[in-house]
Every structure is written in structure tokens, then in C-alpha cells.
Amino acid sequence: MRASLFLSALSVSSVMAAPLLPEINAHSAPADSLKKISEYFNLLALKVQQSKFESAVPTCDLSKVVMPQAPSPLPPPSFGLNLHHVALGRGTQNYTCDPSTPTAAPVTNGAVASLFNASCIVSAYPDIGAMLSTVSLDFNLSDLSSIASSVASALPFPPSFLKQTLAPTSGMAVSGAHYFTNASTPFFNMDASQWKIGEAPCAKNNSTPAPEAAPRGQQGEKAVAWLKLVTRPGATGGLQEVYRVETAGGSAPETCEGMPEHFEVQYAAQ
């Protein structure tokens, strides 16, 4: 399912994440991939140049983060909650088909994603953060550990901050993993990370179509819907609500015609 915005009743300072240039999946990336990647790294280069003339070092202030808005907005966060974490999610939406009914629509069968810590990039450089889902979709899943290294090494965060927020063996710090524990319970396990963010079994509260201009998937698939989730009993770390926004790809075809019984569609989200 999700790369996500996590909300809690506690105001907690967060983390760090971001984008090297691993191998592009040239056989499956959309036709405009090189243009998007070029725009992304040109923007990154501009930020690096601008930083040379700035007197203040950027801070990781999640209170500055503005919730992205779809044409039909999701309900706002509940009163009293504060943004706790921003994750870039990269993985697959999973589907099933009945071979005997090729004209039927594929059935959703959960999702699996790795979650990467994007809190500080999104808060300090929102224009770069807004491009993370789009750019990450153009790279092989096996290369994700280095998707964001160039931002981490180039942008002017203090060395001590980088040391605290970057995993020692990867360019982008891993927040955790997303998967489903049953057909109706998306689960976010972020207790395995160095920050012990918490665990969040969730239920869907609301959804809205992704913007028409949202980035399509590797085979031209539409972006999956934006979601608001609420946590179920058993959530830890004070986590209460989760949003899936800035989606890229992930949607199934309209029918099962020509599709296998089980298949996956690459996606990314925040």
C-alpha cells in the first residue's frame, strides 16, 4: 500500500532520508523517465548551489510540512494530532484474477512495500520531496537502498545530523515495512528501525482518486488512490492516523484479460 504520513498525539522531532543514482530499469520505466530524473537532479544541483549562499543550516521541522491535496481532499488530521513521520514507500500492489472470468476486474490482494525515512527532506525541501515517489518508481526495487544518497550527501545538513539519521549501510535510512496481516488490515512495522517509531495496524477511513496528473506506473498504470487510515487497537508509539498521498502507479488493469492468477504492480507513495 503506502508510503505515508504518520500522525500521533505526540510532537516528535524526526529523521532524514533521500536520493544516488542506482540502475534505471530501462525495459520497464515510462518513456518520460529520463526527463523526470533529469529534472530531479537538476533541481537537486540548484539546491546545492543555493545552499552555498545561505547562512542557516536547514532544520528537520515537521511542523512546516503541508499536507498534499487531491482535487477531492481527504479529511484533515484529527484535532490535537501532530505529524510524527514521513515515509517514502516503494513496493507492489498485489492482485488476483479468476482465469475462468477474464472479463472480471482484478481483486485487490494487499500490498508490500519498504518504507524509507523522508521526514527531513520533505520538511526542508518540499519541492524535492514532492518528486520522490515519481523518481523512485523508475528504479529497480533491488536498488532502493541507494535511491536517495545524493541528496543526503549533497544538501547541507550538519554532519552530526546525517550520522544520526542515515543507516550505516545504505543511502536512505529504512523506517520499516508495510504489508497486510489480513484482507482488511494494512500494517506498518516501524519498530525494527533505529528510531522505534511504532507499529500501526490500520483500517481505511476515507479515500479519494489520485490527481489526474499523478505519475503513472512502469507500464502506464494509473496512480492508486490517496487514503486516510486510522489505527486499530494494538497500535504503538502514539500513532493514530496514516495518510497515503503522492502516489505513483500501482493500479490494476480494468479486466483480467491476459493476466495471470496472481500478479503485482509496482508503485510508490508518501
Side-chain angles (χ1 to χ4, degrees), residues 237-254:
L239 300 177
Q240 295 190 30
E241 298 180 355
V242 180
Y243 285 79
R244 179 178 81 181
V245 297
E246 299 287 13
T247 55
S251 292
E254 292 185 1

Side-chain angles (χ1 to χ4, degrees), residues 2 115 177-181 185-190 198-202 234:
R2 309 123 166 107
L115 304 177
H178 163 66
Y179 47 89
F180 277 65
T181 57
T185 305
F187 191 88
F188 299 86
N189 181 359
M190 297 183 295
E199 295 182 340
C202 294

Side-chain angles (χ1 to χ4, degrees), residues 35-270:
K35 178 183 177 182
K36 291 187 297 183
I37 293 170
S38 176
E39 291 173 350
Y40 176 79
F41 282 98
N42 285 338
L43 178 60
L44 175 58
L46 176 63
K47 296 295 184 183
V48 172
Q49 289 300 314
Q50 291 175 342
S51 71
K52 297 178 181 179
F53 303 99
E54 295 176 351
S55 58
V57 173
T59 59
C60 185
D61 184 357
L62 287 175
S63 69
K64 296 179 179 178
V65 175
V66 177
M67 178 81 74
Q69 295 295 319
S72 298
L74 291 167
S78 298
F79 179 77
L81 299 189
N82 298 288
L83 183 60
H84 187 74
H85 185 72
V86 181
L88 169 66
R90 180 67 173 85
T92 62
Q93 294 285 321
N94 304 329
Y95 301 93
T96 61
C97 279
D98 183 347
S100 66
T101 56
T103 58
V107 177
T108 300
N109 189 32
V112 176
S114 295
L115 304 177
F116 298 90
N117 189 340
S119 295
C120 290
I121 292 301
V122 170
S123 63
Y125 301 98
D127 45 356
I128 291 178
M131 300 181 72
L132 288 177
S133 296
T134 305
V135 174
S136 68
L137 198 60
D138 295 333
F139 295 95
N140 292 321
L141 281 170
S142 59
D143 294 325
L144 282 181
S145 64
S146 59
I147 282 179
S149 312
S150 57
V151 172
S153 60
L155 293 175
F157 290 106
S160 59
F161 180 75
L162 289 174
K163 183 177 180 180
Q164 293 170 7
T165 56
L166 291 180
T169 58
S170 67
M172 193 175 203
V174 175
S175 299
H178 163 66
Y179 47 89
F180 277 65
T181 57
N182 58 47
S184 61
T185 305
F187 191 88
F188 299 86
N189 181 359
M190 297 183 295
D191 257 357
S193 69
Q194 57 186 305
W195 300 286
K196 301 297 181 185
I197 298 165
E199 295 182 340
C202 294
K204 185 166 75 171
N205 173 269
N206 210 302
S207 68
T208 189
E212 188 64 32
R216 289 181 173 260
Q218 294 182 348
Q219 304 298 324
E221 304 93 347
K222 290 184 178 180
V224 288
W226 293 18
L227 302 175
K228 178 180 180 177
L229 311 174
V230 294
T231 56
R232 296 179 185 269
T236 63
L239 300 177
Q240 295 190 30
E241 298 180 355
V242 180
Y243 285 79
R244 179 178 81 181
V245 297
E246 299 287 13
T247 55
S251 292
E254 292 185 1
T255 72
C256 288
E257 184 71 40
M259 302 304 296
E261 188 172 354
H262 302 275
F263 66 95
E264 302 171 342
V265 180
Q266 304 281 328
Y267 88 107
Q270 291 184 24

